[in-house]
Amino acid sequence: MIDTTIDKAESRPADRLTPILFAVAIFTSASLVFVVQPMVTKLVLPMLGGSPSVWNTSMVFFQTALLAGYAYAHAVQRVKSIKAQVGIHLALLTAAALFLPLHINGWLGDPNPSAPIGWLLATLALSVGAPFAVLSATAPLLQAWYARVRAGYPDGKNPYVLYAASNLGSFLALLSYPILIEPLATLSGQRWGWSGGYVAFMLMVVLLAFVVWSRRMDASTEPAPLAKSPAMSWREKGILVLLAAAPSSLMLGVTTHLSTDVASAPFLWVIPLALYLLTFVIAFQNKPWIPLPITLAVQAAVGAVCVLIVAFRSANWAMAFSIHLVAFFFTALMCHQLLAARRPAPDRLTEFYLLMSLGGVVGGAFTALLAPVIFNMVWEYPLVLVLVGLARPWGKGRLNGQYIGALVAAAAVALTPVLLSIWLNANDGPRATFYQYFPLGMGQLAMIMLIPAAICAFLVRDRALVFTAILLMITGSAQWIARGYDWSYSERSFFGVMRVANVPDARMGGDVHVLMHGTTLHGAQARNEINECAPTLYYNVATPIGQSALMVQNRGPSRIGVVGQGSGAMAAYKRGVDRMTFFEIDPMVDRLSRDPKWFTFISKCAEGPIDTVLGDARLTLAKQLVGSYDLLIIDAFSSDAVPTHLLTAEAIQGYLRLLKPNGVVLLHLSNRNLDITMPAIAAAQSLNAPVLHQIYGETNSLPEMAEASTEAIVLSPTEAGLADFRRDPRWRAVEPTQVRPWTDDYVNLFGSLYRSMFPTPEMDAIRLASRPTQPPAQRDPHPAP
């Protein structure tokens, strides 16, 4: 029998317009789907304190909505008529448009900080769930339609190529958000722009249907359904789900590392997600830019190094995170290339995407929802880095001497630093000698000692079980060292992992308890009675925070509010005549700081009771009495991440509203990675509020935990409020800045990162002028009123 379909295809001129139209439509829908994710998350972020977990939880929602969209695309394939499918899809696109313009509705009220996940998922579903799910179904639907209308053409046999166009659109949209959209457009403009893009896409689908229908090969009949291929086995389905789950989990793990120590911001969220999408582009190409054998080799090398360093906090943040990103990219690429190699025939295209989407939800839900409940530390990230080694080639035959030797050598190498740490912990003399000759500490030494084990892993990379076993040994050893030397207690919540470390310091009278979140110290307290109530680190009496408390208290009985409770160190300033209130979003922090086992600033050092108001500070401060505070200290950080909504012009205006006429607001602006000082100064100047700036540099004359370098500004509703600050030479006036102030509608963290990396002459002048030449002597934290 002659295949008339092929004959017709060969007899007709090449149809280049139809593939282009499909590619453009898929590209556009993917762009809208992925540009909305950082946009919507940025809209909801201020309601949950700027926590990095907001992005991870939002990603689970988006992955679930994507799964719903793919399920709909798979179900609608039961309708045999493409005309009917197009009609159904257009009807749903129109119905979802009723949720526009894009916004976060307030139907559920303010979030409960004790149970934020349910509120966040429900709010996202009610706000953007419908348009997102319907849009996300477009890519698999259009690919399925393409396979049918192009059944007589060679390109119709591989509609999966269009998936590369889809992910390319997603990739470019994500990159454009922090580089172009966020710096150039307000949130209001972004919301309306996206809503307009959604309507334009609906018109594009109508045009596509009309053009394709008029240009199909056989104009007399409906395109026939594709021939059915054999069903996939449950084992095959399970493998597809797991191969999709691992990169999804690792993407959120890497994102948490980024956003915790820099900022919870779109320009950091999109880096791992963009790399994740780029791996799809490469994996589903006809001729991948990076062949699978090269992917496997590179993944083995960087994967082994990554599990080695993941337990430790490196002083070189840029180098460490570059390793994390490269390891994530090649691990995700390996999994997605293995997925692409297992793709079924075109008639099962929507089922394949449904399984792949299910894997994304499984991986994301494990990392964002399940892991925080079952783990007290971020164990899920190194765990998945290790287990993904099982996706590598397993090899054939029995293990020879080379593999067994590598396994034994790696075990010996991994065990050595563990035994060394146990011995040092049990012997004070050798421990003192060790730190004399190895000032970098046991963590850095352990990383060096574990390098031969990583080399062993690379040598056995073609044996998945042996490779994974060595990675497991490296991870166990590194986590043991980090656990023994970094912290004594750990607890985890939606807002992060808080650790309490015990740091012996003879100059502070013995043990010192330190509260840590990521790489940032949130308070330290000496445990001996002599130094127990001395405020330390950023809260030392010599720092700008300490200075402001003492200066305001010298005026008389004071009403003090502190945003960010930490270890409760500010409670050491509380006198019997004062009132002090902490504003804290994380109930876990309040519980830790009030537990005498760890810290006693609140329970013992403060003179009189101290209140804590739980919830996001912008929401809870709005309920406070106007004109009632003498001093407000804004010191809310998650590790080094900046809750930007607390530094906008509207936020600062709200703080000033709560002050008495001569009251003072102090903004703590110390940050290693971002310039947040210039936008804060610009916001204060836009409100015509008097503002002073100071950079305090710690000295070597005090114990390490006694003080910390601090940058801050103070402002007041009136000049009288800063009169005594102006008489103090440590506080300096600043010139008007050209930096654009942050507002609730505009925040540019990418610009802050750039200014931090490449300081402007204006910044250098302000910092030089604001740095005191000589720090003052320590003073009594409880001066007489």
Side-chain angles (χ1 to χ4, degrees):
M1 181 181 291
I2 300 175
D3 192 335
T4 57
T5 304
I6 295 177
D7 287 344
K8 289 178 181 179
E10 292 175 349
S11 63
R12 290 171 64 91
D15 178 11
R16 297 180 180 177
L17 177 61
T18 299
I20 292 174
L21 287 174
F22 270 98
V24 170
I26 288 176
F27 181 94
T28 304
S29 69
S31 299
L32 289 171
V33 163
F34 279 88
V35 81
V36 78
Q37 297 183 33
M39 186 188 306
V40 169
T41 306
K42 186 176 179 180
L43 285 170
V44 78
L45 188 66
M47 305 183 76
L48 288 166
S51 168
S53 296
V54 173
W55 172 250
N56 279 5
T57 307
S58 297
M59 278 301 301
V60 174
F61 164 77
F62 290 123
Q63 289 171 325
T64 305
L66 187 73
L67 176 63
Y70 282 11
Y72 149 67
H74 180 60
V76 83
Q77 295 308 301
R78 297 179 180 273
V79 179
K80 294 184 178 181
S81 168
I82 288 187
K83 276 185 177 180
Q85 291 185 23
V86 172
I88 292 171
H89 194 55
L90 281 173
L92 289 179
L93 281 170
T94 304
L98 297 176
F99 288 84
L100 302 179
L102 196 68
H103 68 287
I104 300 297
N105 67 59
W107 294 346
L108 300 180
D110 293 341
N112 179 357
S114 299
I117 292 178
W119 178 90
L120 177 56
L121 294 175
T123 296
L124 290 173
L126 293 172
S127 302
V128 298
F132 184 88
V134 177
L135 261 181
S136 65
T138 301
L141 264 182
L142 263 62
Q143 289 177 64
W145 296 345
Y146 186 83
R148 287 180 64 177
V149 301
R150 302 289 292 177
Y153 291 93
D155 57 306
K157 298 178 181 179
N158 186 22
Y160 291 99
V161 173
L162 289 174
Y163 194 56
S166 171
N167 284 285
L168 182 61
S170 306
F171 175 75
L172 294 177
L174 281 171
L175 290 184
S176 70
Y177 189 82
I179 296 173
L180 296 175
I181 298 174
E182 187 182 27
L184 299 178
T186 64
L187 276 173
S188 299
Q190 293 172 34
R191 293 191 301 110
W192 283 100
W194 190 90
S195 302
Y198 182 92
V199 174
F201 175 73
M202 290 176 58
L203 299 176
M204 186 181 298
V205 173
V206 174
L207 176 63
L208 177 69
F210 175 78
V211 172
V212 169
W213 198 258
S214 64
R215 296 174 66 89
R216 67 191 190 281
M217 281 185 53
D218 188 349
S220 62
T221 63
E222 175 93 16
L226 298 174
K228 287 196 176 289
S229 59
M232 288 184 281
S233 67
W234 284 105
R235 178 180 180 275
E236 180 68 10
K237 292 177 180 178
I239 292 174
L240 294 177
V241 169
L242 290 176
L243 285 174
S248 174
S249 174
L250 290 175
M251 176 184 64
L252 298 188
V254 169
T255 304
T256 299
H257 270 257
L258 267 176
S259 55
T260 297
D261 290 334
V262 181
S264 187
F267 82 90
L268 290 174
W269 299 335
V270 304
I271 294 173
L273 182 54
L275 291 176
Y276 175 79
L277 294 171
L278 184 59
T279 62
F280 278 116
V281 175
I282 298 172
F284 283 86
Q285 289 174 322
N286 278 331
K287 296 181 179 180
W289 299 330
I290 306 175
L292 181 59
I294 294 178
T295 301
L296 289 170
V298 177
Q299 192 277 333
V302 294
V305 174
C306 192
V307 299
L308 188 156
I309 68 170
V310 71
F312 304 105
R313 296 289 178 176
S314 171
N316 191 330
W317 180 90
M319 182 188 71
F321 214 87
S322 296
I323 294 174
H324 284 282
L325 285 177
V326 172
F328 163 69
F329 173 79
F330 279 97
T331 301
L333 180 59
M334 176 186 75
C335 292
H336 290 155
Q337 285 182 317
L338 294 173
L339 263 175
R342 291 175 172 270
R343 60 186 183 268
D347 67 296
R348 298 196 175 275
L349 179 145
T350 56
E351 181 182 8
F352 173 72
Y353 287 137
L354 182 63
L355 291 169
M356 196 160 61
S357 180
L358 176 62
V361 173
V362 169
F366 169 71
T367 298
L369 305 182
L370 182 61
V373 176
I374 61 177
F375 299 139
N376 68 344
M377 282 285 291
V378 188
W379 302 117
E380 64 276 9
Y381 180 43
L383 178 64
V384 177
L385 275 173
V386 170
L387 293 181
V388 78
L390 296 175
R392 298 182 60 82
W394 280 56
K396 296 180 180 180
R398 300 179 61 180
L399 297 179
N400 58 29
Q402 174 187 346
Y403 295 107
I404 296 174
L407 191 62
V408 172
V413 169
L415 187 60
T416 301
V418 173
L419 296 176
L420 177 60
S421 70
I422 294 174
W423 180 67
L424 290 174
N425 279 334
N427 298 275
D428 292 338
R431 182 165 66 241
T433 303
F434 170 81
Y435 281 110
Q436 179 181 355
Y437 289 99
F438 294 98
L440 293 179
M442 186 63 200
Q444 286 81 357
L445 179 62
M447 282 194 285
I448 297 172
M449 295 175 68
L450 289 172
I451 290 175
I455 296 174
C456 290
F458 179 76
L459 294 176
V460 297
R461 61 189 181 278
D462 57 344
R463 289 281 190 163
L465 282 175
V466 182
F467 178 83
T468 304
I470 294 178
L471 292 193
L472 185 62
M473 289 186 284
I474 294 173
T475 301
S477 178
Q479 295 291 341
W480 172 276
I481 301 300
R483 167 66 175 85
Y485 279 82
D486 281 357
W487 43 275
S488 304
Y489 176 81
S490 177
E491 190 173 349
R492 189 173 184 179
S493 74
F494 176 83
F495 300 98
V497 177
M498 302 300 295
R499 297 173 294 165
V500 180
N502 183 50
V503 181
D505 190 332
R507 299 174 67 190
M508 295 185 71
D511 290 344
V512 178
H513 283 181
V514 182
L515 183 65
M516 301 185 295
H517 184 184
T519 59
T520 299
L521 307 183
H522 287 263
Q525 184 178 28
R527 299 301 287 173
N528 73 320
E529 292 187 357
I530 298 175
N531 298 314
E532 186 176 16
C533 291
T536 57
L537 295 174
Y538 302 108
Y539 315 102
N540 187 293
V541 294
T543 68
I545 295 177
Q547 295 167 32
S548 66
L550 296 174
M551 209 168 293
V552 170
Q553 286 177 322
N554 279 334
R555 302 172 182 175
S558 303
R559 178 81 168 94
I560 301 173
V562 182
V563 175
Q565 189 162 325
S567 64
M570 283 303 301
Y573 290 92
K574 168 70 168 60
R575 307 169 300 183
V577 295
D578 300 327
R579 289 182 61 195
M580 182 176 287
T581 302
F582 283 108
F583 296 88
E584 173 59 51
I585 196 170
D586 192 348
M588 177 182 70
V589 172
D590 179 53
R591 188 172 63 254
L592 278 175
S593 64
R594 292 179 181 273
D595 187 346
K597 179 180 179 182
W598 305 115
F599 302 99
T600 59
F601 286 121
I602 295 176
S603 60
K604 182 178 180 180
C605 300
E607 296 178 6
I610 288 184
D611 301 324
T612 297
V613 179
L614 294 176
D616 178 75
R618 284 286 297 273
L619 301 176
T620 54
L621 283 173
K623 301 174 183 177
Q624 298 294 301
L625 186 64
V626 173
S628 59
Y629 282 88
D630 297 284
L631 175 64
L632 275 177
I633 296 175
I634 312 302
D635 180 40
F637 291 88
S638 297
S639 186
D640 230 16
V642 183
T644 56
H645 68 296
L646 297 181
L647 299 177
T648 64
E650 293 88 344
I652 294 174
Q653 189 174 38
Y655 307 148
L656 295 173
R657 184 179 63 89
L658 297 178
L659 296 179
K660 297 175 182 178
N662 66 338
V664 175
V665 174
L666 180 139
L667 302 181
H668 181 196
L669 303 173
S670 305
N671 196 280
R672 288 166 293 190
N673 304 305
L674 300 172
D675 162 46
I676 58 177
T677 301
M678 300 306 295
I681 291 175
Q685 291 176 344
S686 72
L687 299 170
N688 296 317
V691 59
L692 298 173
H693 177 244
Q694 182 184 152
I695 297 177
Y696 173 81
E698 62 186 89
T699 68
N700 294 326
S701 61
L702 296 177
E704 182 180 1
M705 294 297 170
E707 62 173 355
S709 297
T710 309
E711 182 172 10
I713 64 172
V714 289
L715 53 154
S716 176
T718 64
E719 283 290 348
L722 295 186
D724 42 1
F725 286 83
R726 289 191 185 278
R727 290 192 293 268
D728 188 329
R730 295 170 293 181
W731 292 96
R732 307 295 177 89
V734 292
E735 296 296 325
T737 176
Q738 299 301 312
V739 173
R740 183 176 176 180
W742 290 347
T743 67
D744 289 348
D745 207 32
Y746 174 84
V747 172
N748 182 9
L749 273 170
F750 188 78
S752 291
L753 178 64
Y754 183 84
R755 286 194 304 274
S756 178
M757 297 172 63
F758 308 101
T760 63
E762 177 189 19
M763 286 177 56
D764 289 336
I766 288 178
R767 292 180 183 279
L768 182 62
S770 299
R771 194 181 299 274
T773 56
Q774 186 69 31
Q778 298 276 13
R779 290 187 285 172
D780 183 359
H782 287 289

